[in-house]
Amino acid sequence: MSPKKPPLEKAWLATPLWAAGMAAAVVAVAQVDLLRPFYAQWDKGAHALCFLVTWWVFHRVLGMGRVLALVLAAALGAFIEVHQIGVPGFNASWSDFAADLAGIAAAWALAAAFPARKDSP
């Protein structure tokens, strides 16, 4: 007996909710001063990975076109960097934004290399 699949109406929401939960966890960890030295060396990789996932969710999960997903993900990265100007303990950085864009580019390349599958009827 195969496990029961969730109705399609609920299933489409699972991935964005999971991604939002992971983003919230990353943001929460970033707020703890004692933890920053442990992940500081991975900062650019974390930026790239977060924005790879962001673009992927925009494009593959929410169904946005590639360019719209790119524009929105890049705008989000820029907003985060500008927002950090006024946040104590954080610095806006062009290199962080470049890492965001690298993650978006990697997601675009992965999407081109692995096209979405059409579900068979």
Side-chain angles (χ1 to χ4, degrees):
M1 180 187 253
S2 64
K4 189 174 181 180
K5 293 184 178 180
L8 184 59
E9 297 83 33
K10 293 180 183 176
W12 73 270
L13 193 57
T15 303
L17 286 177
W18 179 84
M22 292 302 292
V26 168
V27 169
V29 167
Q31 304 309 312
V32 180
D33 290 333
L34 292 174
L35 295 178
R36 287 188 196 162
F38 296 106
Y39 69 83
Q41 69 274 18
W42 303 104
D43 181 57
K44 302 305 180 250
H47 274 265
L49 181 61
C50 286
F51 280 86
L52 181 149
V53 171
T54 299
W55 186 90
W56 196 267
V57 168
F58 285 167
H59 177 62
R60 286 283 173 94
V61 177
L62 300 178
M64 295 179 187
R66 289 182 182 193
V67 174
L68 179 59
L70 179 146
V71 168
L72 290 178
L76 177 61
F79 172 79
I80 289 169
E81 293 307 313
V82 169
H83 170 70
Q84 287 181 354
I85 292 170
V87 178
F90 288 88
N91 298 312
S93 163
W94 283 107
S95 60
D96 283 353
F97 185 59
D100 299 346
L101 296 177
I104 293 167
W108 186 302
L110 285 171
F114 301 100
R117 293 180 294 167
K118 302 281 185 196
D119 288 328
S120 58

